[in-house]
Amino acid sequence: MITYSQFENIVVNKLNRDISTNKDQNKAISSNVDQSLFIVAGPGSGKTTVMVLKILKFIFVDDINPNEIIATTFTRKAANELNSRILGWGDEIKKYLYKRITDEKKIKKLDIIDFNQIITGTIDSIAEEILRIHRDPGTNLPVVIEDFVANSAMISSGLFEKDRYLNKDLKEYLGKLNGVEEVKNPSIMSNILLDIKNRLYYDQVDIKEFLNNENSPGAKIALNAILNYLSELKSRNILDFSMLESKFLKRLVSGKLNHFLKGIHVILVDEYQDTNLLQEKIYFKLAKSAIANGGNITVVGDDDQSLYRFRGATVDLFTNFIERAYENLGIDVEEVNLSANYRSTEDIVNLCNHFVELDSDFQPARVKEKPKIEFSRINNTIDKNNTNNNVNSNTNSNTNNNTNNNVNSNINNNTNNNTNNNINNNINNNINNNYDVEKNKNSTETYLKNKNPNENQSIPVLGLFRQNPEILAKDLSILIKDLVNGKTVKKKVKKILSSNNYYNNKNNYYNNENKEYTDKYKQYNEYKQYTDKYKQYNDNDKYYNNKDRNLTNNYNKTSNSLSEGDFISLKLSEFGGSPSDIAILTYSPKEISYGNQLFPYYLRKNLLNFKNPIEVFNPRGQDLQTIEEVAIFCGLILECIDPEAKFQNSIKRIPGLAKRNMNKWRRIANEYIKTNPEPVQPISLEDFVNCWRTRTPYAHNPNIWPESASLIELAYKIITWIEEFQNDVEGLVYLEAITKTITQTGFFNEYSAQIFFDDKHIEEEKSVVEAIWNIFIPLASGGISIDEKLLETLPDNRVNIMSIHQSKGLEFPLIIVDVGSRFKKNQVKTSSLRFPKKGDKSSNLEDKIRPFSPLGVGDRNPKDRAFDDLTRLYFVAFSRAKDVLLLVGLNSSIDGYIANEKQINIPNVALGWKRDEQFVGFDQIYLI
């Protein structure tokens, strides 16, 4: 329809996306329709922009019909963002062309372009939709259940069947896989069984063959439980996600989807680094048809951001994609690296580069000859055509000019002269012409008054370390409160943390107080002479030559401006900050673990205790069954369907934890009834529950109790009296988890989440007992958790506390990374969170299953895989930050501690320790 040069001109001048100056982006977008690509996209590199423009290029330049394009994403939110941008930009291009094209044939082509026909979504949603459209005549559409509901199904059909959850051999077998002596909790047992089942599917291992090769009694029981689970779901025409993908592949291979395949021209896959073998086979099958039709397959991802090995992902499928595509498809794939980072400040980019390259043992696990991330954010330019503004850095000496930028970072040197160096950084959403907005929010417009636009300086990476979690949470909450309330927060630089002063401090200690460590002291001194050079290593552990960008120089741009005793001033916005500009990322967002209160708990408590409380969004902070609103809700339902636990008490061998929690729920619910919550008209909660207890109609029209009642309808009626499930964003997440459990569990139950009533109470007892077994016991034993898919929309008025996994694909102006709030001492029980001593449970499972998979056993040993995962995890965490990165933890995380008159350090990957237990660290972290 149009030439590429015309398309590029429209993109640059109409869409305000300057792809002409980024040669890598341009190369990825402009490639021929029959050229397959391997796009390695670093953080903040505009990958979504590239994907969208590549799709639009196929349509407007190559005349590919929208329904001939498949684009898959990792999450539903990413799919919605991709689709939304295709529709928005595509419509703009169409309108532009309508005004300029006079050729009738081209106008007719424009008329029939329907961007909604592009097949976008997760691999699971696309598979489900295609199977629905192309199912055999007379067959019913299978029901697909969520992961957390699958856990409930495994408990009921796999573990409670034949009382397998009590079997000692099974407990020990699952414990060995999990790295403990034995597993007793049915919920944890169920999770491990599902991990085994998913691995068998994802790695393409025949379950019965695997069973025949297992000699362990516990393994045979585990696999039989899995087979019972699969049989139960299949008999009810139900699929979980791995079963859905397997069915989709079988249909593709069988030829029953050939009609669909004939129309496929382009396959575009995002987040390919978290693909498994089953999914690769699906993509390659789709790609064969696309290539035969003159099209291509393009995969996009970043091996350094592969986080889902524990869910069956195999990063090697990404790093070896070019070779695997040639072997399986017979095509030559071209590699494109998107390394320009438009998201983060230079200090943050420098730290990310240094962190991912400091450990030479990690380099073989990365894409070969991978370029560094390039700082590419344009600080002093605002694109008036964009809704969001760029971060501005501006240094003014001896001036009174006020700026209206969103982080105001003011560094005051502690000297007798009157020089004030003002560094003004916007901490709002920023976007330049190439920028890929992964987390889009409506930000307050700012007006910049730049006096010295060439004097740029970003906020250095900061650190906040305290004696214990309580003090750490208190100081951090005060900082957050002041920022959110629009104050300028002035913080003194207490110490500049770097490898040099770390080793100097340790050398002084060893030299003066511990003569027995003289040899180690000498080693440190020998190491010290080249610490300035350690910054970058290549795969052979040699220094990069002088032609490469030297991180030392980049760090010095900031470190030369600051010394210990100087002050840094931070401000969220001249118009008042938003709590949602801030995210706290942690290995686990749990607020309470085994009865112990953790850092996120203290942080929430402190933020809520202010005169003007600051709300937190952390639905995964507590186990679902321990939350008070959940206890009230479930307790009320139980009291309605089973007054005084008559049927519950008749059930034999209920797991102890589940029985205790259900009884606790009932007690809490009865206490809540006594508070007489609103509304009390037309019926109070007490009257409503009593009507259910006595099976007396409360409407008196008709004046007879129904023969059956829907549990989900009962649940929604009870919500009337629980305000938190109506207005509170966390409460709504809890509610959705429970109601989905009730609804989807009903698909594989005899009574389908209905309670039946009869004069002899036979059907009533059976239906109630079924509900207790399949819904409430899994809930009460921890079998239902908050799935990440329920958290894809974040509230605008709360501080977000989330796992690093959950933050993938997001970005925030201020990122606070918990790198050490749990590490008071160098304990083995915390080593897996910071410095693995051995392979993790994912490695144990991989090594058990991989010998039977076409993938075979990998090159990386279990311990290295665990280290690789931690490195990738914190790389993702650090690279979420746009303007300010703040690392937090306990003092002992950086200083170590004294035990038996010896200095003990706490090795931690997140703080710059190599896996050979050598400390490298970062230059520079400014402790406040």
Side-chain angles (χ1 to χ4, degrees):
M1 185 180 299
I2 60 176
T3 65
Y4 181 74
S5 61
Q6 291 171 325
F7 177 79
E8 182 180 339
N9 182 61
I10 295 171
V11 169
V12 172
N13 296 303
K14 182 64 180 174
L15 301 183
N16 299 306
R17 292 300 185 272
D18 188 11
I19 59 174
S20 59
T21 59
N22 187 319
K23 294 181 180 179
D24 292 324
Q25 283 191 348
N26 203 310
K27 181 179 179 181
I29 296 166
S30 65
S31 63
N32 293 333
V33 69
D34 62 350
Q35 177 61 62
S36 296
L37 295 182
F38 172 55
I39 301 177
V40 183
S45 61
K47 68 166 184 173
T48 305
T49 292
V50 168
M51 290 180 67
V52 171
L53 293 179
K54 190 169 182 64
I55 289 170
L56 295 177
K57 180 260 183 186
F58 286 140
I59 295 171
F60 288 108
V61 178
D62 300 312
D63 291 328
I64 302 297
N65 293 325
N67 62 1
E68 297 175 338
I69 300 171
I70 297 178
T72 72
T73 60
F74 193 70
T75 65
R76 289 176 294 192
K77 181 179 180 181
N80 291 336
E81 166 64 18
L82 182 70
N83 194 50
S84 175
R85 211 182 300 188
I86 290 170
L87 292 173
W89 290 356
D91 190 52
E92 284 192 57
I93 294 174
K94 280 183 72 172
K95 288 178 180 178
Y96 181 87
L97 292 176
Y98 271 129
K99 294 178 181 178
R100 286 159 177 79
I101 289 179
T102 57
D103 186 296
E104 287 296 327
K105 289 184 179 180
K106 290 185 177 180
I107 291 175
K108 287 182 179 179
K109 281 187 177 181
L110 277 177
D111 288 341
I112 62 173
I113 291 176
D114 182 2
F115 300 111
N116 287 302
Q117 291 185 352
I118 300 171
I119 304 170
T120 59
T122 64
I123 183 64
D124 297 315
S125 66
I126 290 174
E128 185 176 6
E129 179 66 9
I130 293 171
L131 289 175
R132 181 188 68 79
I133 295 171
H134 298 277
R135 70 181 185 271
D136 293 332
T139 59
N140 294 322
L141 184 68
V143 174
V144 180
I145 57 173
E146 303 282 351
D147 287 334
F148 62 92
V149 180
N151 193 6
S152 174
M154 179 63 80
I155 290 175
S156 58
S157 60
L159 287 172
F160 291 160
E161 183 74 20
K162 298 181 180 180
D163 291 334
R164 289 191 183 101
Y165 74 99
L166 298 173
N167 186 279
K168 186 171 180 60
D169 289 331
L170 178 62
K171 292 178 182 179
E172 291 178 352
Y173 175 75
L174 297 180
K176 186 176 181 181
L177 289 176
N178 217 35
V180 295
E181 187 174 337
E182 65 176 24
V183 177
K184 298 179 181 179
N185 186 303
S187 171
I188 298 175
M189 295 172 76
S190 174
N191 279 327
I192 300 171
L193 288 173
L194 284 172
D195 285 342
I196 296 171
K197 188 271 302 177
N198 288 335
R199 269 286 177 187
L200 292 169
Y201 270 81
Y202 291 147
D203 289 348
Q204 295 291 274
V205 175
D206 183 85
I207 296 179
K208 291 183 179 178
E209 179 189 355
F210 184 67
L211 176 61
N212 292 334
N213 282 276
E214 276 287 358
N215 297 319
S216 162
K220 292 186 180 296
I221 295 171
L223 292 168
N224 280 318
I226 291 170
L227 289 171
N228 275 151
Y229 164 87
L230 295 173
S231 176
E232 178 70 16
L233 265 60
K234 288 176 182 177
S235 69
R236 298 181 180 275
N237 199 26
I238 296 171
L239 302 174
D240 63 21
F241 290 124
S242 62
M243 294 168 70
L244 170 67
E245 291 171 13
S246 180
K247 181 170 184 176
F248 184 43
L249 177 60
K250 288 177 181 177
R251 298 278 290 181
L252 287 169
V253 172
S254 69
K256 293 185 177 181
L257 296 177
N258 282 350
H259 179 72
F260 162 74
L261 292 174
K262 286 179 181 178
I264 299 303
H265 223 100
V266 172
I267 308 297
L268 198 58
V269 186
D270 190 19
E271 302 288 359
Y272 198 81
Q273 76 278 354
D274 285 314
T275 296
N276 56 58
L277 182 61
L278 170 58
Q279 292 167 346
E280 183 195 66
K281 287 191 172 186
I282 292 172
Y283 291 131
F284 281 174
K285 184 62 180 175
L286 295 172
K288 283 182 180 179
S289 296
I291 293 164
N293 295 332
N296 74 86
I297 178 172
T298 293
V299 302
V300 186
D302 183 8
D303 51 297
D304 290 333
Q305 299 185 66
S306 178
L307 299 184
Y308 290 94
R309 186 171 64 88
F310 71 96
R311 287 188 183 172
T314 303
V315 70
D316 296 349
L317 301 181
F318 178 78
T319 56
N320 298 323
F321 176 75
I322 293 177
E323 294 83 357
R324 294 183 69 84
Y326 182 79
E327 291 171 4
N328 290 275
L329 303 173
I331 58 173
D332 292 318
V333 176
E334 187 172 357
E335 180 176 339
V336 178
N337 284 279
L338 303 181
S339 55
N341 182 294
Y342 302 106
R343 173 190 298 154
S344 305
T345 65
E346 190 163 11
D347 285 86
I348 295 169
V349 169
N350 289 341
L351 181 135
C352 290
N353 272 325
H354 173 61
F355 176 73
V356 83
E357 293 180 336
L358 67 83
D359 190 347
S360 58
D361 289 331
F362 178 57
Q363 306 315 306
R366 305 178 72 208
V367 168
K368 295 176 183 176
E369 299 179 2
K370 189 172 185 178
K372 294 178 177 63
I373 308 168
E374 298 176 11
F375 166 68
S376 302
R377 196 167 86 173
I378 303 172
N379 285 333
N380 290 322
T381 302
I382 293 182
D383 179 2
K384 295 180 181 179
N385 295 312
N386 287 327
T387 56
N388 297 321
N389 299 328
N390 292 327
V391 170
N392 175 271
S393 282
N394 173 15
T395 304
N396 297 321
S397 298
N398 295 322
T399 65
N400 293 319
N401 293 319
N402 294 321
T403 60
N404 292 323
N405 301 329
N406 268 11
V407 161
N408 188 331
S409 170
N410 182 14
I411 301 176
N412 301 317
N413 291 327
N414 211 12
T415 61
N416 292 327
N417 60 39
N418 294 321
T419 302
N420 284 327
N421 295 322
N422 294 318
I423 302 172
N424 302 293
N425 288 316
N426 155 356
I427 220 176
N428 239 323
N429 276 355
N430 102 79
I431 193 184
N432 68 27
N433 284 345
N434 294 322
Y435 196 39
D436 175 13
V437 184
E438 297 179 271
K439 180 178 185 295
N440 188 19
K441 297 185 297 182
N442 295 323
S443 57
T444 306
E445 185 176 359
T446 61
Y447 301 90
L448 309 181
K449 299 178 181 179
N450 303 322
K451 295 299 181 182
N452 299 299
N454 294 321
E455 297 180 16
N456 296 318
Q457 199 170 19
S458 65
I459 301 172
V461 178
L462 305 176
L464 182 69
F465 292 83
R466 296 296 185 263
Q467 184 178 355
N468 56 51
E470 295 95 321
I471 296 174
L472 176 64
K474 180 181 178 182
D475 287 357
L476 182 59
S477 63
I478 292 171
L479 172 64
I480 291 172
K481 179 201 69 171
D482 290 342
L483 288 174
V484 167
N485 290 335
K487 293 183 180 179
T488 298
V489 181
K490 189 176 181 181
K491 288 292 182 181
K492 186 176 183 179
V493 177
K494 295 183 175 181
K495 182 180 178 182
I496 301 175
L497 184 66
S498 68
S499 58
N500 288 343
N501 64 38
Y502 181 95
Y503 278 109
N504 285 337
N505 290 340
K506 295 296 177 287
N507 288 345
N508 290 336
Y509 178 83
Y510 288 132
N511 190 39
N512 297 328
E513 299 188 31
N514 254 330
K515 298 299 183 182
E516 64 184 288
Y517 285 93
T518 301
D519 291 338
K520 289 187 177 181
Y521 168 65
K522 289 179 180 179
Q523 291 173 15
Y524 284 131
N525 272 339
E526 290 170 0
Y527 188 83
K528 183 179 180 296
Q529 65 183 331
Y530 57 84
T531 50
D532 291 337
K533 296 180 182 178
Y534 78 87
K535 302 296 188 295
Q536 301 296 326
Y537 293 99
N538 62 15
D539 290 344
N540 297 319
D541 206 19
K542 296 179 181 178
Y543 300 117
Y544 284 106
N545 60 38
N546 293 330
K547 289 187 293 184
D548 288 341
R549 186 196 304 212
N550 191 311
L551 284 182
T552 306
N553 294 334
N554 288 331
Y555 280 120
N556 285 342
K557 289 179 183 178
T558 300
S559 60
N560 284 341
S561 304
L562 278 171
S563 302
E564 292 183 14
D566 292 345
F567 288 86
I568 295 178
S569 296
L570 302 173
K571 189 169 186 177
L572 268 183
S573 171
E574 294 295 333
F575 303 97
S578 167
S580 61
D581 286 335
I582 303 169
I584 295 98
L585 310 185
T586 177
Y587 190 96
S588 168
K590 286 294 183 188
E591 297 178 16
I592 298 175
S593 178
Y594 298 104
N596 297 316
Q597 297 164 342
L598 304 177
F599 167 66
Y601 168 86
Y602 294 116
L603 186 61
R604 181 194 287 267
K605 180 180 177 182
N606 278 282
L607 289 171
L608 288 176
N609 281 342
F610 290 128
K611 184 177 181 181
N612 297 313
I614 297 174
E615 297 281 352
V616 164
F617 185 67
N618 183 24
R620 301 175 77 187
Q622 301 177 60
D623 292 332
L624 196 62
Q625 72 274 13
T626 66
I627 297 166
E628 184 176 5
E629 294 80 14
V630 172
I632 292 170
F633 184 56
C634 292
L636 289 172
I637 296 176
L638 285 171
E639 280 297 296
C640 286
I641 65 173
D642 182 27
E644 298 180 353
K646 178 182 177 181
F647 297 137
Q648 177 185 315
N649 291 334
S650 70
I651 303 173
K652 296 179 180 179
R653 309 189 81 170
I654 292 180
L657 176 63
K659 187 173 184 178
R660 289 193 298 274
N661 277 330
M662 287 192 293
N663 289 337
K664 182 179 178 181
W665 291 347
R666 290 175 182 271
R667 185 173 63 253
I668 293 173
N670 283 315
E671 291 171 357
Y672 184 72
I673 291 171
K674 293 176 183 177
T675 65
N676 199 28
E678 293 287 341
V680 294
Q681 294 294 334
I683 187 171
S684 68
L685 175 60
E686 183 177 15
D687 289 341
F688 177 85
V689 174
N690 283 334
C691 285
W692 264 86
R693 283 168 170 163
T694 59
R695 307 298 191 246
T696 303
Y698 50 87
H700 302 291
N701 186 24
N703 197 23
I704 54 174
W705 192 255
E707 293 181 359
S708 66
S710 164
L711 267 181
I712 198 68
E713 288 182 11
L714 171 61
Y716 280 119
K717 288 176 181 177
I718 286 175
I719 291 168
T720 304
W721 292 279
I722 305 177
E723 186 178 355
E724 290 81 2
F725 280 1
Q726 301 172 47
N727 304 316
D728 182 77
V729 288
E730 287 186 329
L732 291 172
V733 173
Y734 306 146
L735 175 63
E736 186 173 3
I738 298 169
T739 53
K740 276 195 172 185
T741 300
I742 294 172
T743 302
Q744 295 194 13
T745 302
F747 296 144
F748 50 85
N749 288 341
E750 180 181 351
Y751 292 96
S752 302
Q754 299 269 335
I755 304 301
F756 287 81
F757 306 99
D758 58 309
D759 293 338
K760 295 183 179 180
H761 306 293
I762 296 173
E763 294 301 307
E764 181 179 357
E765 180 175 4
K766 288 181 179 179
S767 59
V768 170
V769 168
E770 181 184 79
I772 290 174
W773 265 117
N774 295 336
I775 298 172
F776 294 101
I777 288 178
L779 268 168
S781 58
I784 309 300
S785 58
I786 303 298
D787 192 273
E788 286 183 10
K789 293 175 184 176
L790 300 179
L791 307 176
E792 291 182 350
T793 301
L794 301 176
D796 290 331
N797 59 348
R798 295 196 177 200
V799 173
N800 295 288
I801 301 178
M802 62 181 70
S803 69
I804 299 172
H805 286 90
Q806 188 190 340
S807 75
K808 179 74 173 68
L810 303 179
E811 60 182 29
F812 295 85
L814 171 56
I815 285 287
I816 300 165
V817 183
D818 178 5
V819 295
S821 70
R822 294 192 184 190
F823 312 142
K824 190 172 183 179
K825 293 186 177 181
N826 186 16
Q827 296 176 312
V828 173
K829 67 180 182 181
T830 64
S831 62
S832 63
L833 308 180
R834 54 178 175 79
F835 200 82
K837 298 294 184 183
K838 58 182 180 179
D840 56 11
K841 58 184 179 182
S842 297
S843 299
N844 296 338
L845 190 54
E846 279 178 341
D847 293 344
K848 177 73 70 174
I849 291 174
R850 279 291 178 82
F852 303 94
S853 167
L855 287 170
V857 179
D859 296 331
R860 309 286 286 173
N861 66 50
K863 186 176 177 181
D864 275 335
R865 275 174 273 161
F867 268 103
D868 295 346
D869 286 346
L870 268 185
T871 301
R872 294 180 182 120
L873 189 73
Y874 284 101
F875 175 79
V876 167
F878 299 156
S879 61
R880 300 307 93 197
K882 293 171 61 178
D883 299 284
V884 179
L885 175 60
L886 172 62
L887 310 184
V888 301
L890 304 185
N891 288 333
S892 53
S893 296
I894 55 174
D895 295 330
Y897 58 97
I898 304 296
N900 297 324
E901 299 184 351
K902 293 181 180 179
Q903 170 72 19
I904 306 295
N905 299 318
I906 305 178
N908 188 342
V909 167
L911 288 172
W913 284 77
K914 295 173 64 176
R915 63 192 71 188
D916 61 4
E917 297 199 47
Q918 286 189 352
F919 175 79
V920 176
F922 308 125
D923 272 342
Q924 313 272 343
I925 305 295
Y926 291 76
L927 303 187
I928 57 175

